[in-house]
Structure formats: structure tokens, C-alpha cells
Amino acid sequence: MKRITDGISKSLPSGVRIGLVPTMGALHAGHLSLVDAIRPHCDVVVMSIFVNPLQFNNAADLARYPRTEDADAALAESAGVDLLWIPSQSEIYPGAAELEEAGWLGSAFEGLHRPGHFAGMLTVVRRLFELVNPSVAIFGEKDLQQLALIRRMVDAHSLPIEILAGPTIRESDGLALASRNRFIKQREVAARLPAALFHLQGSSKPASLRLAEARSLLTAPLEIEYLELIDPLTWAPISDDFRGQARAILAASLDGVRLIDNDLVEIR
Ligand code: PAF
């Protein structure tokens, strides 16, 4: 594996299909599964590690975001990344960045609780695309709203990039893997989040009743921000007469750590 800091354009091979795995580091099995998933779709796998200040609406969260570069490099190498790119702030943002538009979806759910987050996230993803010029890029389904917004941005700018989604990887108790999980002290409480998602599945009760029951599982010390069933095409909360594949989406805080998760829910 080649590891570089700045100067990505000089390090990219030409005439091959490049696959990009954008990350903010603190790698875990979820990131490594993205490498496995993208490999059959490209000739060269590039992984970027850049903790993007523009997408943090909370300075304390940015300051404590885990930075584990050497461990990340070892993991990336073991996963078969060809080129690990850890750019400086000035390679990504040589001047003042022009923010991407996140639209109404950028201000709903996660966007309501993290103002500016999605515009900052889209801005860096667009810039990574510009610098790497990938044929294909992959993002985890755990960040479902992020994935939807990236797809919308690619469509809006007609970018010739195929966007793949990697399934959420979970711990044995169901908790979705996330870099911030290392800060959770009450792990057994955190496991109530996937339990609430699981509760929404396979029931014949109306969606509103299922939601009320699932919300009642998310009691203190969890601070729930939202738990909704949405139509994944429109992102509108579903009504009781909806039939088909809905998505349960949730966000909650525990031990000062924000956790998000989602799952498919079949409504018959
Ligand atoms: O999901 C992430 O890790 C980040 O939001 C991303 C896509 C790498 C952009 O900074």
C-alpha cells in the first residue's frame, strides 16, 4: 500500500477505474467492509482520511474526534487499500470553500440537530471527488441521510460517479459500529437502540403504534432526538396506511455521544 499526504493528483494511475472510500479515520470493521465491497467495482482502491472541520457544528466534538493515523494505516493495508491518502487542510481547502447546498433534506432529522453539518459534509465529498476523480465511491448505509444527500448531489451536478452503499456492520449486541462508540460508557444501554429498531420489524400493528412502543424502550439515560418511520424515497414520515419498505431512523445521545442508526422495516 502506498501512503501519501498531499499531492494526490500526481499519485493517481491513469486509465484505470478508481474506487474511493472516503473516511474520517478511526477505522473499524465497518470501514474495512466498504473496501471489500468496492474492490470488485474498480481497479485501484483509494481511501481518504480527512477529519473535515466544516461538518462539525460542535467544536468540542471536532477536538475529541479520534485521530489514530498509524493504526488506521495498518488496518487499511490489511484490508487491501492500494493508496491511502491523508491530506492536509490546505490540499482540501486551499482557499475559502464554497459550501454545497444541502436543500431541505439537509435541514431535516440529522440536519435539524446538527445545523450546517450536511452542507459541510457535501462540500468535502465534492472536493474529494474533484481531486480523486473516482469512477465509483462507497458510503455506509448507517449514515443513511448522508448517503441520500450525496446521491442527490451527484445527480444535481451530473457527476459521472457511481455511488455504492455498504451495509451497516453491527456488534454482537446489535450496536452499529461507529468511530464514536469508543466513548460510550454504558454499552448495555446503547444496545437498546438496535433493540428499538428490531421492535419495529415484523409486527402487524399500525406504524404509529409500533413507533410509540419502540420509543418507550428508549428511556433515560438515553436522550432520544428522533425515532421515525419514513418513506425512503421521499423522506416523509409514513402514515398508518403506508405499505411497502419503510426505513426506521433514529438518533439519541448517551454519555455525551450522539448515536445514529436505521433499518429497513417491511410494512404489510
Ligand atoms: O461518513 C464520513 O465518515 C464522513 O461524513 C465523510 C463521508 C468521510 C465526509 O467527511
Side-chain angles (χ1 to χ4, degrees), residues 22-24 50 52 55 121 124-125 139 143 146:
T23 80
M24 296 205 299
F50 181 67
N52 173 35
Q55 70 187 76
M121 178 282 294
V124 81
V125 170
F139 299 86
D143 294 299
Q146 163 170 289

Side-chain angles (χ1 to χ4, degrees), residues 202-205 210 240 242-244 265-268:
S203 152
S204 52
K205 294 177 187 166
R210 294 189 204 192
D240 282 345
F242 176 95
R243 294 289 174 275
V265 178
E266 194 76 52
I267 312 266
R268 292 199 189 86

Side-chain angles (χ1 to χ4, degrees), residues 13 42 45 64-65 69 93 107 130 144 146 226 232 260 263:
C42 59
V45 178
R64 81 163 180 173
Y65 199 84
E69 225 172 80
Y93 301 124
S107 311
E130 210 171 81
L144 193 72
Q146 163 170 289
Y226 58 83
I260 61 172
D263 210 353

Side-chain angles (χ1 to χ4, degrees), residues 52-66:
N52 173 35
L54 288 189
Q55 70 187 76
F56 285 79
N57 55 316
N58 175 327
D61 191 26
L62 172 61
R64 81 163 180 173
Y65 199 84

Side-chain angles (χ1 to χ4, degrees), residues 22 120-130 139 150 153:
M121 178 282 294
L122 289 175
T123 304
V124 81
V125 170
R126 179 95 195 264
R127 182 73 184 131
L128 297 173
F129 286 173
E130 210 171 81
F139 299 86
I150 290 168
M153 176 180 77

Side-chain angles (χ1 to χ4, degrees), residues 238-252:
I238 63 166
S239 61
D240 282 345
D241 49 22
F242 176 95
R243 294 289 174 275
Q245 295 196 326
R247 273 274 171 182
I249 56 171
L250 69 75

